[in-house]
Amino acid sequence: MNSRVLSAELTMNAVKTRQKIANLLEEDPQKAKELALELLSVEPEETVNYKNLAICFAHCAEMDRFRAVIAMARKKFADAGQFFDETEASIFRDLELHDSLRTFLLGILCAPDRNDDEKSALLRTHSDIFLNDAMCQEIDRIQTSNHKDSWVIAELMFMLFNHNAEEYRLVIKRLLTEFDGDQTLDERGKFNLATVCLHFSQGARGIKLLNELTSRPDPEPKRLLELAKAYHRYARNKEALQVLDRLLGCYPDHEEANRIKAYILHYSDTAELPEIKATTLRYGKIIRSGKSKQFHRKNPTNEPVKIGFFSHSFKAHPVGWMSSGFFCESAKFKSVAEIHILAGLSYTDFIAQTIKDSGNHFHDFSALADNEIEREINKLNLDVIVDMDGFTAACKPQILLKKLAPVLVKWVGGLAGSMWLPEYDYLITDRNQTPAHLESSFSEKLLIMHNSYVTYTPPPYKLQVFKPAYTVNEHITFGCFNNCSKYTDTCLDAWASVLRGVEDSVLLLKDNALSDMSTRQIIRGKFKKLGIGPSQLRFQGRTDHKNHLLALAQVDIALDPIPYNGGLSTVESVYMGVPVITLAGSLLAHRHAVSHLTTIGHDELVANSIPEYIDKAIGLATNREQITEYREILRNDLFASPLLNHELFADELIKKLATLVN
C-alpha cells in the first residue's frame, strides 16, 4: 500500500486507528508507535495524536523522545497546557514511574504560570501517589510558591489529613490557621475544608461551611450527616437531632442517620424511651440482611465454651481500660472457656498490647472486609459472641445480626441502654446500673454481675495524688472532664446553680473539643444567660492521657454530666482522689457513675434528683475537710474495691456466659 493511500485511509479512519494504537500498546508497542507517527503526519493539528505518540514512546522506553514530543506539543498548542499536564502525569502513573510523577507534580505545583484550577485538579487526581514522606518535606516550598488562600493549599490540607500521620498535625494546623479562602472554594473544597476544621479545633468554622452546603432544599445526605455529627461533638445535641430529622424526613431508611440518631438520643435531656426504641428498631431493619445462622445444639458440658469478644476499640479507650484486666485473668479459666478476642482494628498502645498478650486467642480483622470477617468468625465455631461496640462509629452490627454464634451478648462499649434488636439475647450489667424496676427498659435478658459490670485497669505511669486544689487557689474548683456532647441545657442549668451557691467558685471544663475557641465562646454564652460570668469558667483542650489525669489535680469536686453519666471519667477522677457528684437517671447510660461510685463504697455522692445533686455539690464545697479526706482515701478505696478485682470478675463473668450454652 503506497503512502498516499495509507494517508487517506488513516484520515478516514482516525478513530479506529487510535483504538488500534491503544490495543497494540501492550502486545506490540513498536507497531503502535509506527501507526502513531503515521497518524500524526496526516493530522498534525490534532492534540490527541501527540498524546498517543508520547504514550507509545513511553511504552517503548524511549523517555527522551516521549519528553520531546510533549515539549513540542506544548509549544505548538500553547492553550492546551492543562491537557498535556494531564497526559504527562497519567503516563508516569500508568507506567508506575511514581518518583517521576511526584517530581513532575511538584514542578507544576510550584510553577507560577499554572492556575489554581489546573494545579488542584492534578493534585486531586494523583494525591494517592504524590503524598509520601519525601513530598511532605516540600510543603513549605509549595506554600511559598502559591498564595496562602489558593485551592492548592486547601487540597494539600485535606491530603495531609487523609494521610493520617500524627507528625503532620502541626503542618495542617499552621496551613489551616493561615488559610482564609473558605468562600473561594467550590462545594467539594468547602466540604473537605469543613472536615479538616472539625478535626483541628475549628468547630464553628467547620459548622459554618457545612451550614452553607446544606442550606439549599435538597442537600447531599452526606453533608447533613457530617453537620449532625459536628453539632453533637460540639455540645449542640438539639441541633444535631434536628439535622438528623431533616435528613430522615427525606431519606427515612438512611442507615447511618438512623444509627447516629439512635446513639445521640441517649445524650438528650428530653428524649423518651419509645423514640429511642423505635429509632433503634428501624436501624436494625435497615441493616439486617440475609438469613441468620441456625443452631440446633448445646455446647457439650465436657468442653470449654468458645466465647468471642468483638470490638474496634481494644486500645487506650473506655473499652480497653474497662476490659483489659478481665482479659488478663480470663486465660486462667481455660477449662471453662476458650476466649477469642475479635479485633475489628488493631493498635499498639499499652492497653492494646496488654490485651494482645493476655494469653487468649487474638484475631486481627483490621484488613478484612465484612464478608471476610464473617467467614473468619464462622470458622471459629463460637458458642457466644459478646458485642463491645454497640452503635458507636466503628460498629459492625450488620455482621453480628447474622447470629454467628447461638448466643449474642452486649457488654461495655457503646453500652448506652438496650440494643432493642431481637438478635441480642443478653446484656451484661449490675444492679446499681440497672435496678429491678428498670428491667422493662430492655429487650435482652440481663446478666446481673454481683458487684460491677466492669473492672478498671489503672494507667502504667505512676501518678501521685496531689493536695486539694483549694489549698493552692483558696477557692473551690469544680470540674468536668467528659465530652462536650454531654452538656445539655439541664446539665448547664444545674452547674450554674452550683456555681451561684458557692462563692468565688470556678468550673474547669476539659475536652478535646474545647481546643476550639469558638466552642468555648458558645459555652460562655450559655452560662451568661444563666447568670454565670466568664471569670467563673476555665477551659482546657486536648492533651495526652497522662496530662489529662494530672489536670484533675486542679479540681476539688467533679460534677458529672446530666443525663449521660461519665463512665471511665468517673473512675479516673476517683483514681486521682477527686469526688464525683452524680445524678442517678432512668437509662443505663444515665447510671454509669452510680455503678462505679457505689462499687467503691461511696454512694453518698449519688443524687436522686437535680435539687439533691445541687445540694450535694454545694454541701461538699463548704466542707473542705471532707474534700481533703476524699483526696486521701479515694484511690485506696478504688484499689480495695471489686473494680480492681479482675480475677473475681473474670471468674463470675466467664461462668455466667458459659451457663448460657451448657
Side-chain angles (χ1 to χ4, degrees), residues 178-359:
E178 296 176 1
F179 186 80
D180 193 29
D182 301 29
Q183 297 307 313
T184 69
L185 300 174
D186 61 8
E187 289 198 354
R188 177 190 178 279
K190 287 182 178 181
F191 183 75
N192 289 346
L193 180 61
T195 302
V196 176
C197 288
L198 292 170
H199 283 81
F200 283 87
S201 303
Q202 294 201 17
R205 185 178 178 185
I207 288 171
K208 179 181 178 182
L209 286 164
L210 289 172
N211 269 315
E212 289 178 20
L213 294 170
T214 57
S215 59
R216 66 187 188 189
D218 57 342
E220 292 182 17
K222 181 180 179 181
R223 295 172 180 176
L224 283 171
L225 205 60
E226 291 305 310
L227 179 58
K229 290 192 286 188
Y231 276 138
H232 173 59
R233 187 182 308 134
Y234 288 96
R236 300 169 69 177
N237 282 317
K238 283 185 178 179
E239 291 99 323
L241 290 169
Q242 288 168 359
V243 171
L244 288 170
D245 285 341
R246 178 185 172 193
L247 173 53
L248 291 168
C250 299
Y251 305 94
D253 292 333
H254 193 285
E255 178 181 319
E256 186 68 352
N258 278 284
R259 178 194 72 80
I260 294 174
K261 183 177 180 182
Y263 186 67
I264 292 180
L265 281 171
H266 291 86
Y267 289 77
S268 171
D269 52 359
T270 59
E272 299 290 340
L273 192 62
E275 183 181 13
I276 295 173
K277 179 179 179 180
T279 305
T280 306
L281 288 173
R282 185 164 56 248
Y283 174 59
K285 183 178 180 181
I286 294 164
I287 63 172
R288 195 174 284 111
S289 63
K291 294 182 178 179
S292 298
K293 192 173 178 180
Q294 299 299 310
F295 298 93
H296 304 287
R297 64 177 179 82
K298 292 284 186 179
N299 186 66
T301 56
N302 60 340
E303 293 182 14
V305 174
K306 299 176 75 173
I307 307 173
F309 292 82
F310 186 81
S311 179
H312 288 74
S313 299
F314 291 125
K315 60 175 180 174
H317 174 279
V319 166
W321 292 111
M322 299 293 198
S323 67
S324 56
F326 160 77
F327 287 121
C328 288
E329 294 297 329
S330 62
K332 296 179 180 178
F333 300 91
K334 291 183 178 179
S335 62
V336 180
E338 179 180 299
I339 302 299
H340 292 262
I341 298 168
L342 315 174
L345 293 172
S346 184
Y347 304 91
T348 58
D349 60 44
F350 160 74
I351 290 291
Q353 204 57 50
T354 298
I355 293 173
K356 287 178 185 178
D357 296 340
S358 62

Side-chain angles (χ1 to χ4, degrees), residues 351-417:
I351 290 291
Q353 204 57 50
T354 298
I355 293 173
K356 287 178 185 178
D357 296 340
S358 62
N360 299 294
H361 301 276
F362 187 86
H363 307 271
D364 181 1
F365 295 155
S366 55
L368 303 184
D370 287 2
N371 62 324
E372 295 171 317
I373 295 174
E374 181 183 341
R375 185 165 60 246
E376 291 302 310
I377 293 177
N378 267 323
K379 288 179 184 177
L380 299 176
N381 196 30
L382 299 173
D383 298 299
V384 178
I385 291 179
V386 180
D387 172 19
M388 299 174 68
D389 279 336
F391 292 150
T392 54
C395 66
K396 297 280 186 181
Q398 64 271 26
I399 297 175
L400 299 180
L401 294 193
K402 292 185 178 181
K403 292 289 284 190
L404 306 181
V407 179
L408 179 59
V409 180
K410 181 71 195 85
W411 189 31
V412 61
L415 184 63

Side-chain angles (χ1 to χ4, degrees), residues 2-296:
N2 62 43
S3 59
R4 182 174 295 178
V5 174
L6 177 61
S7 296
E9 183 177 328
L10 286 171
T11 302
M12 293 175 61
N13 299 288
V15 175
K16 290 182 179 179
T17 303
R18 292 188 190 101
Q19 185 60 54
K20 188 173 183 180
I21 291 169
N23 294 338
L24 285 168
L25 273 176
E26 296 298 331
E27 59 186 69
D28 192 351
Q30 289 294 333
K31 179 63 176 176
K33 181 179 70 175
E34 291 171 10
L35 282 175
L37 283 165
E38 290 285 357
L39 187 56
L40 181 60
S41 68
V42 174
E43 292 184 336
E45 301 303 319
E46 291 290 333
T47 55
V48 69
N49 292 337
Y50 291 85
K51 174 182 178 179
N52 285 339
L53 182 57
I55 293 171
C56 290
F57 280 137
H59 276 264
C60 292
E62 299 178 45
M63 300 308 292
D64 288 342
R65 300 185 75 183
F66 149 69
R67 291 188 177 90
V69 169
I70 293 290
M72 178 176 65
R74 288 184 189 279
K75 191 174 294 185
K76 184 178 179 65
F77 304 101
D79 59 346
Q82 186 173 0
F83 174 79
F84 290 110
D85 287 344
E86 293 168 353
T87 297
E88 193 165 353
S90 64
I91 290 171
F92 287 136
R93 185 185 185 96
D94 292 344
L95 295 179
E96 298 185 359
L97 301 172
H98 294 167
D99 287 341
S100 296
L101 175 57
R102 293 187 189 105
T103 301
F104 170 73
L105 288 172
L106 183 60
I108 295 294
L109 293 176
C110 296
D113 60 339
R114 299 293 200 281
N115 64 45
D116 274 4
D117 285 353
E118 295 171 351
K119 291 179 179 181
S120 58
L122 274 174
L123 190 56
R124 189 177 301 174
T125 303
H126 303 288
S127 61
D128 59 325
I129 303 297
F130 178 75
L131 202 62
N132 67 0
D133 288 344
M135 285 300 102
C136 286
Q137 305 309 314
E138 301 289 349
I139 297 300
D140 286 343
R141 180 182 164 192
I142 296 170
Q143 187 183 22
T144 56
S145 301
N146 293 275
H147 190 272
K148 67 180 181 67
D149 294 338
S150 75
W151 286 22
V152 174
I153 303 302
E155 197 67 41
L156 269 174
M157 283 190 285
F158 190 61
M159 284 172 55
L160 288 166
F161 171 73
N162 283 332
H163 199 57
N164 201 29
E166 187 66 25
E167 60 265 34
Y168 302 128
R169 287 188 61 86
L170 292 177
V171 176
I172 297 172
K173 289 179 76 171
R174 188 192 78 220
L175 295 175
L176 188 59
T177 300
E178 296 176 1
F179 186 80
D180 193 29
D182 301 29
Q183 297 307 313
T184 69
L185 300 174
D186 61 8
E187 289 198 354
R188 177 190 178 279
K190 287 182 178 181
F191 183 75
N192 289 346
L193 180 61
T195 302
V196 176
C197 288
L198 292 170
H199 283 81
F200 283 87
S201 303
Q202 294 201 17
R205 185 178 178 185
I207 288 171
K208 179 181 178 182
L209 286 164
L210 289 172
N211 269 315
E212 289 178 20
L213 294 170
T214 57
S215 59
R216 66 187 188 189
D218 57 342
E220 292 182 17
K222 181 180 179 181
R223 295 172 180 176
L224 283 171
L225 205 60
E226 291 305 310
L227 179 58
K229 290 192 286 188
Y231 276 138
H232 173 59
R233 187 182 308 134
Y234 288 96
R236 300 169 69 177
N237 282 317
K238 283 185 178 179
E239 291 99 323
L241 290 169
Q242 288 168 359
V243 171
L244 288 170
D245 285 341
R246 178 185 172 193
L247 173 53
L248 291 168
C250 299
Y251 305 94
D253 292 333
H254 193 285
E255 178 181 319
E256 186 68 352
N258 278 284
R259 178 194 72 80
I260 294 174
K261 183 177 180 182
Y263 186 67
I264 292 180
L265 281 171
H266 291 86
Y267 289 77
S268 171
D269 52 359
T270 59
E272 299 290 340
L273 192 62
E275 183 181 13
I276 295 173
K277 179 179 179 180
T279 305
T280 306
L281 288 173
R282 185 164 56 248
Y283 174 59
K285 183 178 180 181
I286 294 164
I287 63 172
R288 195 174 284 111
S289 63
K291 294 182 178 179
S292 298
K293 192 173 178 180
Q294 299 299 310
F295 298 93
H296 304 287

Side-chain angles (χ1 to χ4, degrees), residues 601-613:
H602 287 286
D603 60 354
E604 76 278 3
L605 296 169
V606 178
N608 291 298
S609 68
I610 291 178
E612 186 184 359
Y613 175 98

